[in-house]
Amino acid sequence: MKQPCGQIVAIRGLVVEVALLGDRPKVRELLAMQEQPDALLEVQTFPNPSTAYCLNLTNNPVIRRGANVMRTGAGISVPLGTTTLGSACDAPCNPIDGKPAGEGPRG
Protein backbone atom coordinates (compact mmCIF):
# COMPACT_ATOMS: atom_id res chain seq x y z
CA MET A 1 0.00 0.00 0.00
CA LYS A 2 1.24 3.50 -0.82
CA GLN A 3 2.32 5.82 1.95
CA PRO A 4 0.02 8.76 2.67
CA CYS A 5 1.09 12.12 1.27
CA GLY A 6 -1.27 14.15 3.41
CA GLN A 7 -4.23 14.32 5.75
CA ILE A 8 -7.60 16.02 5.32
CA VAL A 9 -7.88 18.88 7.81
CA ALA A 10 -10.98 20.77 6.60
CA ILE A 11 -13.94 20.37 4.26
CA ARG A 12 -15.94 23.31 2.93
CA GLY A 13 -18.56 22.09 0.47
CA LEU A 14 -16.62 20.43 -2.34
CA VAL A 15 -13.33 22.10 -1.35
CA VAL A 16 -11.05 19.90 0.76
CA GLU A 17 -7.99 21.22 2.59
CA VAL A 18 -5.14 18.73 2.83
CA ALA A 19 -2.09 19.14 5.11
CA LEU A 20 0.82 17.74 3.10
CA LEU A 21 3.27 15.36 4.78
CA GLY A 22 5.92 14.88 2.12
CA ASP A 23 6.53 15.75 -1.50
CA ARG A 24 4.03 18.19 -2.91
CA PRO A 25 1.73 16.76 -5.61
CA LYS A 26 1.30 18.61 -8.90
CA VAL A 27 -1.65 20.89 -9.63
CA ARG A 28 -4.44 18.76 -11.23
CA GLU A 29 -2.99 15.53 -9.81
CA LEU A 30 -5.57 13.20 -8.29
CA LEU A 31 -5.31 12.22 -4.65
CA ALA A 32 -7.18 9.18 -3.33
CA MET A 33 -8.29 8.38 0.19
CA GLN A 34 -6.13 5.61 1.62
CA GLU A 35 -9.13 3.60 2.90
CA GLN A 36 -11.41 4.38 -0.08
CA PRO A 37 -9.35 4.72 -3.30
CA ASP A 38 -12.39 5.59 -5.44
CA ALA A 39 -12.94 8.80 -3.41
CA LEU A 40 -10.90 11.22 -5.52
CA LEU A 41 -9.63 14.74 -4.89
CA GLU A 42 -8.08 16.93 -7.58
CA VAL A 43 -5.32 19.30 -6.42
CA GLN A 44 -6.25 22.88 -7.37
CA THR A 45 -3.83 25.23 -5.58
CA PHE A 46 -1.35 25.64 -2.74
CA PRO A 47 -2.01 28.51 -0.31
CA ASN A 48 1.34 27.69 1.36
CA PRO A 49 4.06 25.02 0.93
CA SER A 50 2.45 22.52 3.30
CA THR A 51 -1.24 22.83 2.31
CA ALA A 52 -3.22 21.89 -0.80
CA TYR A 53 -6.76 22.94 -1.67
CA CYS A 54 -8.48 20.14 -3.57
CA LEU A 55 -11.81 19.59 -5.29
CA ASN A 56 -13.90 16.61 -4.17
CA LEU A 57 -14.61 15.19 -7.64
CA THR A 58 -16.82 12.32 -6.58
CA ASN A 59 -18.79 14.22 -3.89
CA ASN A 60 -18.26 11.08 -1.85
CA PRO A 61 -19.62 11.33 1.70
CA VAL A 62 -16.83 9.08 3.07
CA ILE A 63 -14.38 11.97 2.73
CA ARG A 64 -13.81 13.17 6.29
CA ARG A 65 -11.42 15.17 8.42
CA GLY A 66 -8.45 13.16 9.62
CA ALA A 67 -8.45 10.77 6.65
CA ASN A 68 -5.12 10.05 4.95
CA VAL A 69 -4.74 10.64 1.21
CA MET A 70 -2.28 9.16 -1.30
CA ARG A 71 -0.89 10.48 -4.55
CA THR A 72 -2.07 8.67 -7.67
CA GLY A 73 0.54 10.19 -9.97
CA ALA A 74 -2.16 10.89 -12.56
CA GLY A 75 -4.75 13.45 -13.45
CA ILE A 76 -8.17 13.11 -15.03
CA SER A 77 -7.97 11.37 -18.39
CA VAL A 78 -10.69 10.81 -20.96
CA PRO A 79 -10.83 7.91 -23.43
CA LEU A 80 -10.25 9.20 -26.96
CA GLY A 81 -12.17 7.99 -29.98
CA THR A 82 -15.67 7.31 -31.22
CA THR A 83 -16.65 5.08 -28.28
CA THR A 84 -16.76 8.17 -26.07
CA LEU A 85 -18.92 10.28 -28.39
CA GLY A 86 -22.47 10.68 -27.11
CA SER A 87 -21.63 9.10 -23.74
CA ALA A 88 -22.24 10.71 -20.36
CA CYS A 89 -19.59 10.44 -17.67
CA ASP A 90 -18.84 11.83 -14.21
CA ALA A 91 -15.85 14.04 -13.33
CA PRO A 92 -13.28 11.19 -13.19
CA CYS A 93 -14.71 9.98 -16.56
CA ASN A 94 -16.57 6.89 -15.36
CA PRO A 95 -19.65 6.12 -17.50
CA ILE A 96 -22.96 7.08 -15.89
CA ASP A 97 -25.32 6.27 -18.76
CA GLY A 98 -25.11 2.47 -18.70
CA LYS A 99 -22.82 2.33 -21.74
CA PRO A 100 -19.47 0.54 -21.47
CA ALA A 101 -16.38 2.55 -20.63
CA GLY A 102 -14.48 3.89 -23.61
CA GLU A 103 -11.57 1.85 -24.92
CA GLY A 104 -8.30 3.03 -26.37
CA PRO A 105 -5.80 5.73 -25.58
CA ARG A 106 -6.62 8.36 -22.98
CA GLY A 107 -5.87 12.04 -23.24
Side-chain angles (χ1 to χ4, degrees):
M1 181 180 280
K2 290 184 179 179
Q3 293 288 54
C5 74
Q7 187 174 58
I8 296 172
V9 293
I11 302 169
R12 295 175 200 90
L14 293 177
V15 177
V16 179
E17 184 177 337
V18 175
L20 300 173
L21 303 173
D23 289 339
R24 196 163 98 160
K26 296 178 181 177
V27 171
R28 296 197 181 127
E29 183 175 343
L30 294 176
L31 304 179
M33 277 187 56
Q34 194 167 26
E35 303 113 19
Q36 186 98 17
D38 61 335
L40 297 173
L41 307 173
E42 184 184 48
V43 176
Q44 296 295 306
T45 189
F46 302 98
N48 61 57
S50 62
T51 304
Y53 287 155
C54 304
L55 184 61
N56 178 353
L57 293 178
T58 55
N59 195 21
N60 197 322
V62 301
I63 293 177
R64 59 178 169 66
R65 287 179 55 212
N68 291 326
V69 294
M70 311 174 296
R71 293 180 67 177
T72 65
I76 295 174
S77 61
V78 179
L80 304 174
T82 56
T83 57
T84 309
L85 294 175
S87 295
C89 60
D90 60 10
C93 208
N94 299 314
I96 59 172
D97 58 2
K99 294 181 181 178
E103 303 278 326
R106 296 177 78 89

